[in-house]
Amino acid sequence: MTAAESSADRKRALTATGDDLAALIHHHSTDVLLALLDNPSLDETQLCLLLDRKDLPLEVLAEVAARKNLLKNYRVKRALAFHPHTPRLVSMRLIRDLYLMDLAQLALAVGAQPELKRMAEGQLLARLTQLPLGQKITLARRGPGRVAGALLAEGHPQILSVVLDNAYLTEAQVLKALAREKLSPAVSHAIAQHRRWSCVYNVRLALIRTPGTTLATILAFLPELNASDLRDLSAPGIVSEPLRKYLQAELDRRSDTSI
C-alpha cells in the first residue's frame, strides 16, 4: 500500500460509517486503527470487535487504555484486560474492576500471563468473605484451584457437595485445607468419603493426621499404608495416643505375619 493510499484510509477512518467502518476494523495499518478511535460513529460493539483482534498493534491497545472515556464502558474494559498483548501494568490495573466470573475466567485462561492469572485469583480470594452463598457455590463448581481450596477449607455443607468435584482443585490444595488448624470435621469427612480424593495416598496420610477424621476411616486406610509411613505416624506426638496404639498394632501385625 502506498503512502497516499494509507493517508486516504486514515481520513476515511475518521468519518466512516456502516459497512465501511466495519471493514476498517480489520485494517492492517496502525495509523488507520488509531484514527478509528476518533471516529464518533465507532460504538461499543465495534470497539469490542476491534479489541477481539489478537494481532492488534500494541499502540492501539495502549491508546484505548489511555482514554478514560472508553474505559467507562465495562465491555471495553473487560476486552482490554483479556487481550494477550495489553501492557502488563494496564492489565493489572483493569483486573481490579472485573466482575466475579470474569476474574474466574481470566484466572483459568490458557493464554493469559501467569502473573495476571495469579492476580485474578488473588482478587477472588480477597472477595470470598463478602460473597453470598450462591456465588460461592458457583466458584466452588468451576473456579480456579486456589479459590476452590479456600472454599473447601470453609467447610460449608452446600459447598463441600460440589467443590471436591472441581476439575481445577489440586492435591496440593486439598492437603493445604487438611493442614489447617480448627478444620471443621465436615471437611475431613467429605474428603474421606469422596470417590477421587479418598483414594489419593498422600490425602489418606493427611486424613490420618487430621483430628476430625473418624476412627473407622483411619482403620480402613491402615492396611494400605507403607510400613515406613506407619512408623513415622506412630512416632510420639504425631497423632493422638489412642490412635497411635492402633498404628503400632498394625505394625506389630505385619511383623508377626512376616515371621
Side-chain angles (χ1 to χ4, degrees), residues 3-135:
E5 289 173 329
S6 179
S7 178
D9 284 347
R10 187 181 185 284
K11 290 179 180 178
R12 278 175 52 220
L14 292 170
T15 58
T17 59
D19 292 343
D20 193 22
L21 181 94
L24 287 169
I25 286 173
H26 303 284
H27 204 284
H28 66 275
S29 168
T30 299
D31 288 340
V32 171
L33 297 177
L34 287 171
L36 275 177
L37 300 180
D38 292 321
N39 187 324
S41 297
L42 184 74
D43 61 22
E44 167 197 331
T45 300
Q46 291 163 327
L47 180 53
C48 287
L49 285 173
L50 178 64
L51 291 171
D52 279 343
R53 283 183 52 177
K54 302 307 179 190
D55 63 342
L56 201 61
L58 180 61
E59 296 90 338
V60 178
L61 291 164
E63 183 61 26
V64 173
R67 299 196 181 193
K68 293 182 179 180
N69 62 310
L70 297 180
L71 294 183
K72 290 178 181 178
N73 184 291
Y74 181 79
R75 285 184 62 199
V76 172
K77 186 181 294 187
R78 181 191 182 281
L80 194 59
F82 272 74
H83 199 285
H85 303 307
T86 296
R88 181 177 61 87
L89 293 179
V90 171
S91 295
M92 292 175 69
R93 185 177 77 245
L94 295 173
I95 283 173
R96 299 186 183 97
D97 297 327
L98 292 181
Y99 295 156
L100 189 75
M101 295 315 297
D102 286 332
L103 283 171
Q105 185 177 342
L106 180 59
L108 297 171
V110 175
Q113 299 175 38
E115 182 180 11
L116 299 180
K117 294 172 73 168
R118 286 193 299 271
M119 185 174 179
E121 272 192 302
Q123 285 289 311
L124 288 169
L125 290 168
R127 298 182 193 182
L128 279 186
T129 58
Q130 302 172 0
L131 295 181
L133 179 59
Q135 288 185 322

